[in-house]
Amino acid sequence: MGIIDFRLRPPLRGFLDTLMYNAGDRRDGFTRTVGFEPSAAAQRQSMDLLLEEMDGAGVEYGVVVGRRAGMLGSVSNEDVLHIMRSYGKRFVGAASIDPTSRRGACDTIDQAIGQGFKLINIEPGAYPVPMYADDRRLYPIYGHCEDRQVPVILMVGGTAGPDLGYSDPIRTDRVLADFPNLKVVVAHGGWPWVNEILHVAFRRPNLYLSPDMYFSRMPGWEEYVKAADGFLADRMLYASSFPFCPVRGYRDWFETLPIREENRVKVMRENARVLLGL
């Protein structure tokens, strides 16, 4: 059983229309900022090269996330489903929803579950009309996911909205408190609110943390490492955030971190396997 990469964006379909692929110099600049050389699979937009890189890194599954976003670019659930069906079991899908329609969002969630999606992706501050994580328009959608026992990826870190208020961990804490049986994966690790989101994780056992590209040598990254080897070992999730980080280079770097082997196996594989029911 291999590694599960919890945030991996293949060079296919709608992903090619997003900033991560159509602004390659910008992407590669970030890659070098966090200490890696860009992936040839990203630069050449080659699916064959990505699969080779995944195999070389020992990545068994990649989690592919659909999104409805403004300036960041959108990826439809149909595109994610195409990737899931075209490459067998290599990719696990997270479906996106339109938060402006409660009924439509709930219908989308039910349809996605039936199609084999394992998660629902919600990016409050990145929607065309930004929302905060605790916006009451999202609450029926959170409740529907909780009732269906489907985990939610909540992007409340990094470029999570027009300003830093959209990644405010206090708002995430409220959601976790109001839906205690909803498993929530905070994408981008809640960065830059590192200590604050780790405190929320300490308080709320339904929070999973995926710092992905912000794990790598960004301010505060050492605290993520301590948590991964400590109280959060059962709820930290490994993710390269390809194409921002290379799949193979990120794996090689991650395995140098001072995380005990039994916890590294949890972070890189077992936590995601249990969360996704694989």
Side-chain angles (χ1 to χ4, degrees):
M1 293 188 292
I3 295 167
I4 299 174
D5 189 327
F6 215 85
R7 195 171 188 87
L8 194 156
R9 283 73 66 96
L12 279 179
R13 311 277 289 209
F15 285 104
L16 295 176
D17 296 324
T18 64
L19 276 176
M20 69 187 76
Y21 283 108
N22 64 27
D25 290 344
R26 175 183 180 272
R27 177 201 64 224
D28 292 349
F30 179 87
T31 302
R32 293 186 173 100
T33 295
V34 297
F36 298 109
E37 280 302 306
S39 164
Q43 293 183 320
R44 292 164 59 181
Q45 299 183 0
S46 168
M47 198 63 198
D48 288 341
L49 288 178
L50 173 59
L51 291 169
E52 286 180 18
E53 194 173 337
M54 290 172 67
D55 290 342
V59 171
E60 183 178 5
Y61 298 104
V63 176
V64 179
V65 181
R67 72 188 327 175
R68 296 177 64 91
M71 63 170 288
L72 297 175
S74 297
V75 179
S76 71
N77 292 342
E78 290 74 21
D79 283 346
V80 176
L81 187 62
H82 171 83
I83 294 169
M84 291 162 58
R85 289 177 172 173
S86 297
Y87 293 93
K89 296 182 178 180
R90 295 305 297 271
F91 297 103
V92 177
S96 61
I97 52 96
D98 178 358
T100 63
S101 170
R102 173 187 61 82
R103 189 166 295 172
C106 292
D107 288 345
T108 297
I109 291 165
D110 291 342
Q111 179 185 39
I113 294 170
Q115 292 172 327
F117 286 84
K118 296 291 188 181
L119 310 107
I120 301 301
N121 183 53
I122 298 177
E123 304 188 358
Y127 287 130
V129 178
M131 299 178 178
Y132 292 106
D134 61 347
D135 191 301
R136 286 313 189 256
R137 288 171 291 181
L138 292 171
Y139 267 51
I141 299 169
Y142 292 139
H144 195 73
C145 290
E146 185 179 51
D147 290 344
R148 298 296 188 274
Q149 296 182 318
V150 58
V152 165
I153 296 176
L154 191 63
M155 194 187 81
V156 284
T159 308
D163 59 52
L164 278 173
Y166 290 88
S167 56
D168 182 352
I170 294 174
R171 296 180 180 276
T172 301
D173 188 38
R174 290 174 185 153
V175 173
L176 292 158
D178 289 338
F179 298 95
N181 295 315
L182 175 65
K183 294 179 179 178
V184 175
V185 178
V186 169
H188 299 330
W191 193 86
W193 310 91
V194 179
N195 286 321
E196 292 83 355
I197 199 67
L198 287 173
H199 177 60
V200 174
F202 187 78
R203 287 164 53 96
R204 309 294 179 195
N206 52 331
L207 171 62
Y208 291 74
L209 206 59
S210 177
D212 49 74
M213 59 190 182
Y214 295 96
F215 212 129
S216 177
R217 292 164 281 220
M218 295 295 278
W221 71 277
E222 300 94 339
E223 301 309 313
Y224 290 137
V225 175
K226 293 175 188 175
D229 198 39
F231 79 94
L232 207 54
D234 293 323
R235 289 182 285 127
M236 187 73 81
L237 299 169
Y238 171 90
S240 67
S241 204
F242 178 89
F244 285 106
C245 298
V247 173
R248 180 63 183 266
Y250 190 91
R251 194 287 312 267
D252 291 346
W253 168 79
F254 197 90
E255 291 191 336
T256 69
L257 297 177
I259 300 174
R260 285 167 290 180
E261 180 61 23
E262 62 269 26
N263 290 333
R264 184 178 293 112
V265 170
K266 292 179 182 179
V267 173
M268 298 182 78
R269 184 178 74 204
E270 294 307 318
N271 294 343
R273 193 174 298 276
V274 171
L275 180 66
L276 298 171
L278 297 177

Coordinates of all heavy atoms in Angstrom, one line a residue, residues 13 64 75-88 93-94 111-112 114-117:
R13 N -8.0 18.7 -18.7 CA -9.3 19.3 -18.7 C -9.3 20.7 -18.0 O -8.5 21.5 -18.4 CB -10.3 18.3 -17.9 CG -10.3 16.9 -18.4 CD -11.1 16.6 -19.6 NE -12.5 16.7 -19.4 CZ -13.4 16.0 -20.1 NH1 -13.0 15.1 -21.0 NH2 -14.7 16.1 -19.8
V64 N -8.1 14.5 -6.2 CA -8.3 15.5 -7.2 C -9.5 16.3 -6.8 O -10.6 15.8 -6.6 CB -8.5 14.9 -8.6 CG1 -8.8 16.0 -9.6 CG2 -7.3 14.0 -9.0
V75 N -12.9 24.1 -11.8 CA -12.7 22.8 -12.4 C -14.0 22.1 -12.0 O -14.4 21.9 -10.9 CB -11.5 22.0 -11.8 CG1 -11.5 20.6 -12.4 CG2 -10.2 22.8 -12.0
S76 N -14.8 21.7 -13.1 CA -16.1 21.1 -12.9 C -16.0 19.7 -12.3 O -15.0 19.0 -12.4 CB -16.8 21.0 -14.2 OG -16.3 20.1 -15.1
N77 N -17.1 19.3 -11.7 CA -17.2 17.9 -11.2 C -17.1 16.9 -12.4 O -16.6 15.8 -12.2 CB -18.5 17.7 -10.4 CG -18.5 18.5 -9.1 OD1 -17.5 18.9 -8.6 ND2 -19.7 18.7 -8.6
E78 N -17.6 17.3 -13.5 CA -17.5 16.4 -14.7 C -16.1 16.2 -15.1 O -15.7 15.1 -15.5 CB -18.3 17.1 -15.9 CG -19.8 17.1 -15.7 CD -20.3 18.1 -14.7 OE1 -19.5 19.1 -14.4 OE2 -21.4 18.0 -14.2
D79 N -15.3 17.2 -15.0 CA -13.8 17.0 -15.3 C -13.2 16.1 -14.3 O -12.4 15.3 -14.7 CB -13.1 18.4 -15.3 CG -13.4 19.2 -16.6 OD1 -14.0 18.6 -17.6 OD2 -13.1 20.4 -16.6
V80 N -13.5 16.3 -13.1 CA -12.9 15.4 -12.0 C -13.4 14.0 -12.3 O -12.6 13.0 -12.2 CB -13.2 15.9 -10.6 CG1 -12.7 14.9 -9.6 CG2 -12.7 17.3 -10.4
L81 N -14.6 13.8 -12.6 CA -15.2 12.4 -12.8 C -14.5 11.8 -14.0 O -14.2 10.6 -14.0 CB -16.7 12.5 -13.0 CG -17.4 11.2 -13.1 CD1 -17.3 10.4 -11.8 CD2 -18.9 11.5 -13.4
H82 N -14.2 12.6 -15.0 CA -13.5 12.1 -16.2 C -12.1 11.5 -15.8 O -11.7 10.5 -16.3 CB -13.4 13.2 -17.2 CG -12.5 12.8 -18.4 ND1 -12.9 12.1 -19.5 CD2 -11.2 13.0 -18.6 CE1 -11.9 11.9 -20.3 NE2 -10.8 12.4 -19.8
I83 N -11.4 12.3 -15.0 CA -10.1 11.8 -14.5 C -10.2 10.6 -13.7 O -9.4 9.6 -13.9 CB -9.4 13.0 -13.7 CG1 -9.1 14.2 -14.6 CG2 -8.2 12.5 -13.0 CD1 -8.7 15.4 -13.9
M84 N -11.2 10.5 -12.8 CA -11.4 9.3 -12.0 C -11.6 8.1 -12.8 O -11.1 7.0 -12.6 CB -12.6 9.6 -11.0 CG -12.3 10.6 -9.9 SD -13.9 11.2 -9.2 CE -14.6 9.6 -8.6
R85 N -12.5 8.3 -13.9 CA -12.9 7.1 -14.7 C -11.8 6.7 -15.7 O -11.7 5.6 -16.1 CB -14.2 7.4 -15.3 CG -15.4 7.4 -14.3 CD -16.7 7.8 -15.0 NE -17.8 7.6 -14.1 CZ -19.1 7.9 -14.3 NH1 -19.4 8.5 -15.5 NH2 -20.0 7.7 -13.4
S86 N -11.0 7.7 -16.1 CA -10.0 7.4 -17.1 C -8.7 6.7 -16.6 O -8.0 6.1 -17.4 CB -9.6 8.8 -17.8 OG -10.7 9.4 -18.5
Y87 N -8.5 6.9 -15.3 CA -7.2 6.4 -14.8 C -7.5 5.4 -13.6 O -6.7 5.3 -12.7 CB -6.3 7.5 -14.3 CG -5.9 8.3 -15.5 CD1 -6.6 9.5 -15.9 CD2 -4.8 8.0 -16.2 CE1 -6.2 10.2 -17.0 CE2 -4.4 8.7 -17.3 CZ -5.1 9.8 -17.7 OH -4.7 10.5 -18.8
G88 N -8.6 4.7 -13.7 CA -8.8 3.6 -12.7 C -8.9 4.1 -11.3 O -9.6 5.1 -11.0
G93 N -11.9 11.5 -6.0 CA -12.5 12.8 -6.3 C -13.1 13.5 -5.2 O -13.7 12.9 -4.3
A94 N -12.9 14.8 -5.1 CA -13.6 15.7 -4.2 C -14.5 16.7 -5.1 O -14.0 17.3 -6.0 CB -12.7 16.6 -3.4
Q111 N -25.6 13.4 -5.7 CA -25.2 12.9 -7.0 C -23.7 12.5 -7.0 O -23.4 11.4 -7.5 CB -25.4 13.9 -8.1 CG -25.0 13.4 -9.5 CD -25.2 14.5 -10.5 OE1 -24.9 15.7 -10.2 NE2 -25.6 14.2 -11.7
A112 N -22.9 13.3 -6.4 CA -21.5 13.1 -6.3 C -21.2 11.8 -5.5 O -20.3 11.0 -6.0 CB -20.7 14.3 -5.7
G114 N -23.1 9.2 -5.2 CA -23.5 8.1 -6.1 C -22.5 7.8 -7.2 O -22.4 6.7 -7.6
Q115 N -21.7 8.9 -7.6 CA -20.8 8.7 -8.7 C -19.4 8.2 -8.2 O -18.5 8.0 -9.0 CB -20.6 10.0 -9.4 CG -21.8 10.4 -10.2 CD -21.7 11.9 -10.8 OE1 -21.1 12.7 -10.1 NE2 -22.3 12.1 -12.0
G116 N -19.2 8.2 -6.9 CA -18.0 7.7 -6.3 C -17.1 8.7 -5.8 O -15.9 8.4 -5.3
F117 N -17.5 10.0 -5.7 CA -16.7 11.0 -5.0 C -16.7 10.7 -3.5 O -17.6 10.2 -3.0 CB -17.3 12.4 -5.2 CG -17.1 13.0 -6.6 CD1 -18.0 12.6 -7.7 CD2 -16.1 13.8 -6.9 CE1 -17.8 13.2 -8.9 CE2 -15.9 14.4 -8.1 CZ -16.8 14.0 -9.2

